[in-house]
């Protein structure tokens, strides 16, 4: 079977995480199959559906070890799995690593990423802390054209 066949099989097993991960392992062991992002994306979707955040993080590492760079869709699947599992520290850290890896920027940030970041900060008790004690920011609050709006609604440049 090729990567598309494995991707379809994993997608069909989306509600059965052990089977989806078993199919992924089979695909990885198949020397002739060229694994595309779609194969890993399907497995990450199964992780998200099952709320298996740790499995999703392990899957991202497996991808990197095989020389497959995760794309925005793969990261989003992992973020949703972590959110479903209530793993807010990992959500926060993954969003930061996406930014550091150049996958997430102000240009391609989705509203769902902003919401996840804000929810992670809230769950981790980071809301209302002085700026000095908070870890580095993903971005300002309301983003419009590379600028954020402060409390006085003045546009101020985002400083990383």
């Amino acid at each position: 079977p090729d990567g598309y066949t494995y991707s379809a099989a994993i997608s069909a097993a989306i509600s059965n995480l052990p089977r989806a991960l078993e199919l992924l392992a089979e695909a990885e062991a198949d020397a002739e199959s060229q694994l595309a992002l779609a194969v890993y994306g399907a497995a990450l979707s199964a992780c998200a559906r099952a709320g298996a955040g740790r499995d999703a993080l392990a899957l991202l590492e497996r991808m990197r070890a095989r020389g497959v760079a995760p794309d925005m869709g793969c990261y989003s699947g992992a973020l949703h799995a972590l959110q479903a599992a209530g793993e807010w520290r990992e959500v926060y850290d993954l969003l930061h690593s996406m930014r550091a890896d150049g996958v997430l920027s102000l240009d391609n940030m989705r509203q769902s990423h902003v919401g996840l970041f804000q929810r992670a900060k809230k769950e981790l008790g980071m809301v209302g802390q002085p700026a000095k004690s908070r870890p580095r920011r993903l971005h300002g609050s309301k983003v419009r054209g590379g600028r954020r709006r402060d409390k006085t609604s003045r546009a101020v440049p985002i400083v990383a």
Side-chain angles (χ1 to χ4, degrees):
D2 63 6
Y4 297 107
T5 305
Y6 281 116
S7 179
I10 292 168
S11 292
I14 195 168
S15 60
N16 183 350
L17 181 61
R19 179 65 182 142
L21 294 179
E22 179 182 305
L23 287 166
L24 177 63
E26 182 181 314
E28 289 175 332
D30 185 352
E32 294 188 22
S33 99
Q34 294 293 322
L35 297 185
L37 284 172
V39 176
Y40 289 103
L44 284 162
S45 293
C47 289
R49 187 166 193 166
R54 300 288 177 173
D55 288 330
L57 288 177
L59 189 49
L60 289 176
E61 288 304 313
R62 280 170 58 183
M63 289 177 69
R64 289 184 192 106
R66 291 183 60 89
V68 179
D71 67 355
M72 181 67 81
C74 292
Y75 278 113
S76 291
L79 284 168
H80 290 295
L82 291 166
Q83 176 188 16
E87 301 282 351
W88 296 106
R89 168 54 62 191
E90 286 75 11
V91 167
Y92 185 81
D93 291 344
L94 186 56
L95 284 164
H96 277 289
S97 69
M98 288 170 66
R99 184 173 181 213
D101 292 345
V103 175
L104 187 64
S105 68
L106 292 176
D107 296 330
N108 69 355
M109 188 175 300
R110 299 175 184 160
Q111 188 61 37
S112 61
H113 296 129
V114 174
L116 277 175
F117 181 72
Q118 291 171 342
R119 173 89 188 268
K121 282 178 39 176
K122 180 180 176 186
E123 294 292 332
L124 295 171
M126 295 179 178
V127 176
Q129 290 182 5
K132 289 182 182 178
S133 64
R134 275 190 247 152
R136 64 187 174 105
R137 291 181 162 192
L138 182 62
H139 62 82
S141 51
K142 300 237 181 197
V143 177
R144 292 192 179 103
R147 297 179 174 274
R148 70 177 168 85
R149 302 280 175 180
D150 67 6
K151 290 182 182 181
T152 61
S153 296
R154 293 185 326 231
V156 293
I158 296 175
V159 180

